Amino acid sequence: MFTFILRRAGVMALTMLCLTIVVFSLVNLDPNLRKLSISQTNMRATDVEIESWLVVNGYRDPFLERYGSWLGVWQKHPNIDKKTGEPVSRFKYCDDPTVSTFSGVIQGDLGCSTKFKKKVADKLIPALQSTGWLMFWVMMVMIPSALLIGILAGMREGSKMDRVLSIVSITSTATPEYVSGIFFTVIFASWLGWLNGSAATATSKGITFYNFALPVMTMAIYGMGYVARMTRASMVEVMTAQYIRTARLKGMGFYAVIIKHALRNALIAPFTVIMLQFPWLLTGVVIVEIMFRYQGFGFTLVQAAGNNDIDLLLACSLVSVVVVLVTQLISDVGYAYLNPRIRVK
């Protein structure tokens, strides 16, 4: 198992390196750099002024040098003031070093946010914490409900309960967040007035049922159907296994067979699906956070992309890649432990 994890870690590191190179090259395309320069100077800046700003701030340096500086394996040099000839910070509001140094992702320096005028870490970490709370409550609502629906539907394939719960699962999966979110807002916020249609106060005044129920409900119901369908399919397969029939022939009760024999084996396949919900929750919150004005990771990602905040956009991409790769590793290791037929070499 240790060798397997070590080998997967090497593949993960190589994958992260390749993906960061692709993302770095895309966000540093010339139109994006010109847009950034205009936002940092003024809308009426001439081409000469735009190009001068890019040269002074190092955006015209060779690609590999800039990527190496961002990564932290290439020495980052300070900008030189043309008037005084002295080294100056690239962005004064971030206190960039005025001496040559190795400072990048490897050293924990994610750069400076040109949109929010602060270090990327100071903006990204609170956003991740806010989204973490949203993900936690979504999983607390979604997973037990999905497993219960899938188990009940799969116990007796073709029964009336199976058909009803299957329709509910398919309907929830087929309804995107922006549809169910508007639907719930109209009913529970506008008509009934039970809940707050905006979650903006959750990040400033604290999380309450009143301001947090709608985004949690919107995401949980959308993801619940897929997990429930996978659980049902696994439960149906287990219920037709030979050892289940043997237990029934020996006189064991139906529900005793389900609890003692069927459940453990039926939950092996949904485990992988549940782990894959974490990357979806991290990137799928974009629509929900924008809709309910919840300032988490998705909201920050949209702000970074809309304002071409290069360092913040790169950091968001890096976090997304890490979450996807780590959850896949946990899913593979957990599946190997849960399924005795799997032998890791």
Side-chain angles (χ1 to χ4, degrees):
M1 179 61 72
F2 177 76
T3 304
F4 169 76
I5 295 176
L6 194 62
R7 186 167 60 249
R8 286 296 303 271
V11 174
M12 288 168 55
L14 182 61
T15 303
M16 289 176 58
L17 182 65
C18 295
L19 289 176
T20 54
I21 291 176
V22 172
V23 175
F24 190 88
S25 61
L26 291 177
V27 299
N28 281 278
L29 292 175
D30 189 72
N32 296 332
L33 295 179
R34 289 180 62 85
K35 181 180 177 181
L36 174 63
S37 177
I38 292 173
S39 67
Q40 295 300 303
T41 51
N42 60 76
M43 295 298 296
R44 297 182 179 180
T46 63
D47 290 342
V48 175
E49 293 173 334
I50 292 173
E51 188 66 23
S52 175
W53 187 90
L54 293 174
V55 171
V56 168
N57 288 278
Y59 289 103
R60 293 306 189 195
D61 292 343
F63 175 81
L64 291 179
E65 289 187 13
R66 287 189 290 121
Y67 176 75
S69 299
W70 174 78
L71 196 61
V73 297
W74 189 278
Q75 196 170 29
K76 185 182 296 184
H77 301 287
N79 299 329
I80 304 298
D81 192 320
K82 293 182 178 180
K83 296 181 179 179
T84 63
E86 298 293 329
V88 295
S89 298
R90 184 177 60 152
F91 300 114
K92 295 181 180 180
Y93 43 81
C94 283
D95 295 326
D96 279 356
T98 57
V99 295
S100 298
T101 181
F102 288 95
S103 179
V105 174
I106 296 177
Q107 291 79 21
D109 182 10
L110 298 177
C112 183
S113 171
T114 53
K115 162 63 178 176
F116 298 99
K117 310 298 183 183
K118 60 175 65 175
K119 287 185 176 297
V120 168
D122 295 339
K123 177 60 182 178
L124 187 60
I125 292 176
L128 285 172
Q129 291 174 343
S130 298
T131 297
W133 280 112
L134 178 59
M135 292 171 62
F136 171 79
W137 286 112
V138 169
M139 295 296 281
M140 290 295 292
V141 173
M142 180 178 70
I143 299 305
S145 303
L147 293 178
L148 180 61
I149 291 174
I151 292 169
L152 292 176
M155 286 192 311
R156 299 184 186 273
E157 184 182 10
S159 64
K160 184 180 294 185
M161 178 181 293
D162 178 25
R163 291 195 294 269
V164 171
L165 294 178
S166 295
I167 292 174
V168 172
S169 300
I170 294 173
T171 303
S172 66
T173 305
T175 307
E177 303 100 313
Y178 55 84
V179 174
S180 58
I182 295 174
F183 180 76
F184 293 145
T185 301
V186 170
I187 293 178
F188 296 105
S190 299
W191 289 356
L192 300 177
W194 292 349
L195 302 174
N196 190 352
S198 173
T201 57
T203 53
S204 58
K205 298 182 180 180
I207 296 173
T208 63
F209 181 82
Y210 178 70
N211 63 19
F212 214 56
L214 281 180
V216 171
M217 188 189 311
T218 301
M219 295 194 67
I221 289 181
Y222 178 72
M224 182 177 63
Y226 182 56
V227 178
R229 292 290 295 170
M230 291 298 297
T231 305
R232 176 199 174 275
S234 180
M235 192 70 181
V236 169
E237 182 181 357
V238 169
M239 292 301 292
T240 58
Q242 187 64 42
Y243 64 89
I244 297 294
R245 294 178 182 176
T246 303
R248 291 286 288 154
L249 290 174
K250 288 182 177 181
M252 185 176 292
F254 180 74
Y255 293 103
V257 170
I258 291 175
I259 295 173
K260 293 183 178 180
H261 299 287
L263 277 182
R264 182 181 185 277
N265 295 291
L267 294 179
I268 293 176
F271 174 78
T272 303
V273 179
I274 291 171
M275 291 306 302
L276 293 178
Q277 298 305 303
F278 286 96
W280 165 73
L281 285 173
L282 185 65
T283 56
V285 295
V286 173
I287 296 175
V288 174
E289 289 188 355
I290 294 298
M291 181 182 299
F292 295 103
R293 304 295 299 172
Y294 184 68
Q295 298 185 19
F297 179 81
F299 185 87
T300 302
L301 177 60
V302 172
Q303 291 292 313
N307 294 275
N308 203 52
D309 194 338
I310 291 179
D311 287 347
L312 182 57
L313 190 57
L314 286 169
C316 291
S317 303
L318 183 63
V319 170
S320 300
V321 171
V322 170
V323 170
V324 171
L325 294 177
V326 170
T327 50
Q328 286 184 346
L329 177 61
I330 296 174
S331 174
D332 292 343
V333 174
Y335 191 85
Y337 273 115
L338 290 174
N339 194 342
R341 293 173 293 182
I342 301 294
R343 291 293 180 266
V344 178
K345 298 181 179 179

